[in-house]
């Protein structure tokens, strides 16, 4: 029997899960972006903790949530598309009744990753500008010693860097940046770094979804029961952090390409290959691991929370299809049957023979074992 899914309910689940998850981990994501954009010799932050402390001191507590508004606005459709698309493709790939092989799980994840970049690219584009603004402001206040052999090229770099997106406000809003990009570059301005985003999100989904599904399967008490919510949380954390670290080099490239405003003496890139080459040549292989720890700390709880919210079934509850699954002995999200519906039922029948005087002469009790399908 193939799994039947409600697409609207899955979209609601993904959206709610994304909002809850992003709200919890956004400050770490901000630190990740600022660390990835740092160049050698121009380090403003030494570590994630140092970045968060300096951010609070210079920008206040809410400085850690710079760019959160655009993320919270767009994360609902982004996570909804990602999770619902994966469920949709898994459902259709398993219609033959033989279940999903690892290859089919990877194929479903690949398709989900390709669908989500429609929303992810402009969301990341705007978020990165807002998140990195504080680093650039701090760098401008900090004295920077430029090597003599690079003094001659400084003006050229500055002119190319600061003229990408004219901006007179020290802390522009997402609306201002989006309006400026649309006015100067058209819709493609919002999709700068689309290829790098695709290069990051497709492999991430290919790794994450099959890994989560198989880890979560290990926590099921039986094939017909759902894994406990805490197991889904742990599975989401492990799968998310593993996939995040695996694709971190692509995330570094994407962040660099989507950073429109550059600091003094920071190079520009013409594309993915150019960016890979310049980072490798000037900063070494270790540069591709910048922010990897932060990214793992962001993705692990984010997808753990996402899977728990998905497990609870807020979307199905809102659509009045089921009650909230706050305990583990309810319907397994990977099947369309409930546990109660699969349990055998015993029907008892009693046959009584009565004579002409009204006396019972024979009483027979029979039982029938019925399996509900």
């Amino acid at each position: 029997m193939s799994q039947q899914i409600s697409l609207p309910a899955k979209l609601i689940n993904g959206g709610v899960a994304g909002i809850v998850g992003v709200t919890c981990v956004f400050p770490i994501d901000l630190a990740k972006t600022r660390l990835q954009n740092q160049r050698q010799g121009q380090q403003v932050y030494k570590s994630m903790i140092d970045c968060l402390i300096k951010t609070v001191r210079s920008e206040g507590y809410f400085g850690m949530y710079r760019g959160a508004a655009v993320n919270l606005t767009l994360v609902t459709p982004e996570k909804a598309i990602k999770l619902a698309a994966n469920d949709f493709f898994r459902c259709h790939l398993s219609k033959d009744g033989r279940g999903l092989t690892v290859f089919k799980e990877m194929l479903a994840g690949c398709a989900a990753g390709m669908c989500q970049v429609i929303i992810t690219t402009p969301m990341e584009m705007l978020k990165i500008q807002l998140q990195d603004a504080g680093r650039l402001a701090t760098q401008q206040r900090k004295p920077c010693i430029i090597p003599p052999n690079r003094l001659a090229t400084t003006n050229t770099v500055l002119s190319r860097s600061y003229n990408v997106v004219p901006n007179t406000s020290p802390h522009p809003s997402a609306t201002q940046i989006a309006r400026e990009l649309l006015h100067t570059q058209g819709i493609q301005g919002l999709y700068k770094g689309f290829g790098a985003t695709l290069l990051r999100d497709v492999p991430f989904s290919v790794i994450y979804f099959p890994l989560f599904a198989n880890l979560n399967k290990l926590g099921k008490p039986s094939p017909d029961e759902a894994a406990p919510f805490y197991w889904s949380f742990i599975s989401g954390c492990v799968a998310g952090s593993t996939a995040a670290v695996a694709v971190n080099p692509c995330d570094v490239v994407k962040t660099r390409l989507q950073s429109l405003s550059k600091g003094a003496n920071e190079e520009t890139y013409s594309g993915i290959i150019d960016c890979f080459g310049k980072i490798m040549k000037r900063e070494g292989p270790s540069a591709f691991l910048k922010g990897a720890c932060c990214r793992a700390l962001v993705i692990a709880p984010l997808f753990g929370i996402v899977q728990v919210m998905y497990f609870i079934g807020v979307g199905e509850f809102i659509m009045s299809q089921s009650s909230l699954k706050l305990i583990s002995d309810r319907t397994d999200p990977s099947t369309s049957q409930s546990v109660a519906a699969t349990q055998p039922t015993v029907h008892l029948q009693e046959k009584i023979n009565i004579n002409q005087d009204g006396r019972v002469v024979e009483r027979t009790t029979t039982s029938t074992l019925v399996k509900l399908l």
Side-chain angles (χ1 to χ4, degrees), residues 103-123:
F103 175 76
K104 285 186 176 181
E105 289 179 334
M106 293 174 70
L107 192 61
C110 176
M114 294 179 70
C115 290
Q116 78 168 93
V117 294
I118 299 172
I119 301 296
T120 304
T121 305
M123 178 184 75

Side-chain angles (χ1 to χ4, degrees), residues 108-149:
C110 176
M114 294 179 70
C115 290
Q116 78 168 93
V117 294
I118 299 172
I119 301 296
T120 304
T121 305
M123 178 184 75
E124 291 278 306
M125 178 75 176
L126 297 174
K127 182 196 73 171
I128 285 173
Q129 315 315 313
L130 298 173
Q131 286 182 330
D132 204 38
R135 181 190 69 89
L136 293 173
T138 303
Q139 189 187 79
Q140 289 172 6
R141 291 193 300 267
K142 182 180 178 180
C144 181
I145 300 174
I146 302 174
N149 61 343

Side-chain angles (χ1 to χ4, degrees), residues 8-23:
K10 296 297 181 184
L11 290 171
I12 294 172
N13 282 339
V16 173
I19 290 174
V20 174
V22 166
T23 302

Side-chain angles (χ1 to χ4, degrees), residues 223-251:
D224 295 326
E225 293 184 73
F229 78 92
Y230 67 84
W231 189 268
S232 294
F233 176 81
I234 294 172
S235 298
C237 289
V238 173
S241 58
T242 301
V245 173
V247 302
N248 195 74
C250 299
D251 189 56

Side-chain angles (χ1 to χ4, degrees), residues 37 39 42 132 135-137 139-140 144 146 154 157-162 259-268:
N37 266 329
R39 273 61 161 183
Q42 298 176 324
D132 204 38
R135 181 190 69 89
L136 293 173
Q139 189 187 79
Q140 289 172 6
C144 181
I146 302 174
T154 301
V157 174
L158 284 172
S159 64
R160 286 186 300 169
S161 301
Y162 285 103
S259 297
L260 301 179
S261 298
K262 307 290 184 182
N265 213 31
E266 290 183 354
E267 68 282 346
T268 56

Side-chain angles (χ1 to χ4, degrees), residues 302-322:
L302 173 59
F303 276 87
I305 293 168
V306 162
Q307 293 299 343
V308 169
M309 296 299 294
Y310 218 57
F311 171 88
I312 291 174
V314 177
E316 286 80 3
F317 176 73
I318 293 175
M319 301 292 292
S320 300
Q321 294 179 358
S322 67

